Amino acid sequence: MSKKHHLAKIEIADLSEEQQQNWQQVRDLLTSHLERKNQRKTPERYAILKAIYSLDEHFDIDHLYKLFKEKQFSVSKATIYNTLEVLLDAGLVKKHQFGQVQAYYEKSFFNSNHDHIIMLDEEKIVEFCDPRIEAIKKDFEEALDIEIESHSLYFYAKKKSK
Amino acid sequence: MSKKHHLAKIEIADLSEEQQQNWQQVRDLLTSHLERKNQRKTPERYAILKAIYSLDEHFDIDHLYKLFKEKQFSVSKATIYNTLEVLLDAGLVKKHQFGQVQAYYEKSFFNSNHDHIIMLDEEKIVEFCDPRIEAIKKDFEEALDIEIESHSLYFYAKKKSK
DNA sequence: ATCCCTGCAAACGCTTTGCACATGA
DNA sequence: TCATGTGCAAAGCGTTTGCAGGGAT
C-alpha cells in the first residue's frame, strides 16, 4: 500500500532545532517501550508521537486527526485513540479532563509536572507548579496509609482587571 | 394528571431527624432561589432535591433515576438533568467529573468545602480538606491578577498495606 | 506465515434537544 | 391564560468495538 510508504518517512511537522533534539530521545523512548511490551513499531505510532511533540499546546483527538488530514496523511481516529493509549502507557503523553466534554492531551516529556489554570474568559490555559501540592499528597499518604498514584488539579479563573 | 398529585406529597426518602431539620432549610433555599429567578416551584424539583439530600454519598443521574423508578414515581431523565442544572445554579449540589465517564454529583449544603481521594482498588471516595489549597489559590490570584472561581482536585490512590 | 495493527463504520453511553402536552402562576 | 416545565424519543457527540484486510516481525 503506497500510503504506508509515505507514512514511513512522514514529516508531519517541521521541528525546531530544540524539538529536533528532543525528538530523537522521545522516539527512542517509544521504541524501547514498544520492545519491552512486544508491540509493533508501526509508522503510525511514530508519526503520531512526532506530531504531538511538535505541538506546544494541549490538544484533543480531533485536533490531531485534522492535522493529519491537512497533511494528506490519513490516520483513522481509531488508530489515534489506540496510539494515545500506548503513549499514555509509555508515559509520553498526559490526559486531561478539563471541562465536562472531551479529553485533552499534552506531551509529558521535557515538560515537567505541573497543574493548570483554565482561563474561562479566553482560550488560554496557564501552567503552574507549587510544591505545596506534593506536600499535601505526602501528608495524606502517611495519615491514611495510602499511595497516591496521581492527582488532577484545575483552577478555573477569570481575569480580574478589566 | 393523577401522577402529579402523588408527586406533590412525595416522600421519596425517609429522612433521619437531622435530615428532617436540614430539609426545611434546603427547601427554603430552593424556594427563594426559584423566586429570585422567576422559575416555577414544581413538585419534581422539590422531590429531586429531597432525594438528593437523603443520600449520603455521591451519585450519578442514573442512580437518581432508578431511585425514583423503584419508588413508583416516574421522573424523566430530561427532567433530572434540567433540575440538576437548577440546583447547581442554586449552589445546592456540586458536580464532579471523577473518571472519564459520567458526571457525579453530591449535595453541597451542610457539607462544607472539601476535595476527594478516589480509592482505585475499592469503591470508595474519601473526602478531605486542607487549608493549603486555599492558600495556593490566594497566592496565584494575587500573582496573576486573576480570580479563581472554583477548583477541582482529585487524588487517585491505592491502599498501601496489604 | 503469523497475528498484531489499522481503517472503516456501526455501536455505545451519557447528555442534549425538539416537540407536544401539562401545569404553576 | 400562557409561558415555563415535563416526558418521551430522537439526535448528538466523544469514544469504543467488531471485523476484514494489511503489514511488522
Side-chain angles (χ1 to χ4, degrees), chain A residues 97 100 128 132 137 139-140 145-158 160-161, chain B residues 97 100 128 132 136-137 139-140 145-147 149-158 160-161:
Chain A
Q97 206 75 35
Q100 318 297 339
F128 73 95
R132 281 171 285 190
K137 278 165 83 165
D139 288 353
F140 279 99
D145 194 34
I146 57 176
E147 195 173 336
I148 296 174
E149 311 219 316
S150 64
H151 77 269
S152 80
L153 169 59
Y154 305 108
F155 288 152
Y156 298 90
K158 286 189 179 167
K160 204 169 191 175
S161 54
Chain B
Q97 205 74 34
Q100 317 300 339
F128 73 95
R132 281 170 286 188
I136 295 170
K137 280 166 81 164
D139 288 353
F140 279 99
D145 194 34
I146 57 176
E147 196 173 336
E149 310 220 317
S150 64
H151 77 268
S152 79
L153 170 59
Y154 305 107
F155 288 153
Y156 298 90
K158 284 187 179 168
K160 203 169 194 174
S161 54

Side-chain angles (χ1 to χ4, degrees), chain A residues 31-46:
Chain A
T31 300
S32 48
H33 174 81
L34 292 174
E35 285 171 354
R36 194 163 3 96
K37 294 262 180 168
N38 279 315
Q39 291 180 298
R40 292 185 182 163
K41 310 190 197 73
T42 67
E44 286 85 355
R45 286 175 175 168
Y46 287 95

Side-chain angles (χ1 to χ4, degrees), chain A residues 37-86:
Chain A
K37 294 262 180 168
N38 279 315
Q39 291 180 298
R40 292 185 182 163
K41 310 190 197 73
T42 67
E44 286 85 355
R45 286 175 175 168
Y46 287 95
I48 291 170
L49 181 67
K50 191 166 194 173
I52 290 172
Y53 272 77
S54 75
L55 295 173
D56 280 318
E57 319 126 19
H58 304 80
F59 59 91
D60 57 29
I61 298 286
D62 203 54
H63 186 151
L64 220 46
Y65 180 69
K66 282 176 180 155
L67 199 64
F68 276 92
K69 227 174 180 177
E70 275 171 21
K71 297 273 182 174
Q72 325 254 24
F73 303 107
S74 90
V75 175
S76 77
K77 282 202 176 173
T79 298
I80 297 181
Y81 276 105
N82 285 337
T83 301
L84 279 173
E85 216 53 49
V86 172

